[in-house]
Amino acid sequence: MSTHSHHHNIDFKKAFTVTVEPKSQVKISGEIPYEELAVERERAIKSLGQNVNLDGFRKGHVPAAVLEKHIGEMAILTEMAERAISHMYPHILEAHAIDAIGYPKIEITKIAPNNPLGFTATVAVIPEIGLPDYQAIAKKTNKGKASVEVSEGELEDKIKDILRQKAAYEKIQQKAAVSTEGADLLTPETVIKSDEAVPELTNETVKALGQPGQFETVEQFKTMLREHLEIEKKRDVDANHRATITDEIIAESKIELPEILIDSELSQMFAQMEEDLKRSNLKMDDYLSHIKKTKDDLRKEWSPAAEKRAKLQLILNEIAKKEKIVADEKLVNDQVKELLNHYKDADEARVRTYVSSILQNEAVLKNLEELK
């Protein structure tokens, strides 16, 4: 029995057939009895007549009979059909338990006065997800996780880099002081040569590094630098490790991805890019002409990444379901509050969905990274 309060004289299960199409879509086809269309007639005429200007009548006050003549039967019938379909569509989805994503593509196959209305609706559905043994993949990857320790060699290399750059900057400044011309052609890169002698690291040279008074001794400088490098290395190792786990799981999953999900990821990528450009006071069009690319070029280039992102989101949702992982309620509430303080006009329900999704993803990934 339908959960809706009104009743239609149609068995939605029998009147409509659903066939599976490629790329995780379904095609719904069937007919709506003419009496269901007839119910929409009055509203259709009223809606079509809203903006009709006819001599001798006030706008919006044209009698129905005059309007019908003016609008024409076919236009009225088409409007009735659209209204009836949008009214019936949710009932059809419910009767056939279809998990639709986005809007359907409607095609009217039969339309005539006093006849049933034939149409098809093609819509993307949440795809079936064939997960691999994601726990085994994570365990195997976790065994080979790179070390986050900073070796003496890495520390020495970084110190050499810093000293080389310092020497290069000093050289540029000396040259610039001698000749104002040509100074702008010198950059640290053109001045640094790997075979140049690197100044020695002494308590004296250390004092000239960082903020005035920040470093007094070589030891102090090395300790601080090592801490900094460790934070950087941990961030890189963690990011690469996570990417290795997810890439592997994506590669071994079986998902037929609907186009709409790839498009939605691409839209987000473009929105992010516009946001970044805005922050640098750049316009999208100027930027595109600068890199000599069109939006379509970028869409093509970004499609594989968008596909990967869409797949990953579906996979993480599926793992969360299987492992019964949910986002921490308190964390969600705190972050929602913070975001709503920051973006006063944001819709709370949407912000909550967004935050829950991000925190749930994080919880799933942490779970995978901790499998032994």
Side-chain angles (χ1 to χ4, degrees), residues 159-170:
I159 290 170
K160 274 186 191 150
D161 272 353
I162 290 169
L163 293 172
R164 253 193 217 112
Q165 272 191 315
K166 180 179 173 325
Y169 269 116
E170 283 165 5

Side-chain angles (χ1 to χ4, degrees), residues 144-175:
K145 186 171 179 179
S147 158
V148 294
E149 254 181 72
V150 173
S151 68
E152 277 307 309
E154 284 170 318
L155 187 63
E156 288 307 317
D157 286 347
K158 187 68 184 172
I159 290 170
K160 274 186 191 150
D161 272 353
I162 290 169
L163 293 172
R164 253 193 217 112
Q165 272 191 315
K166 180 179 173 325
Y169 269 116
E170 283 165 5
K171 218 179 212 178
I172 287 176
Q173 284 178 320
Q174 283 164 5
K175 287 203 170 152

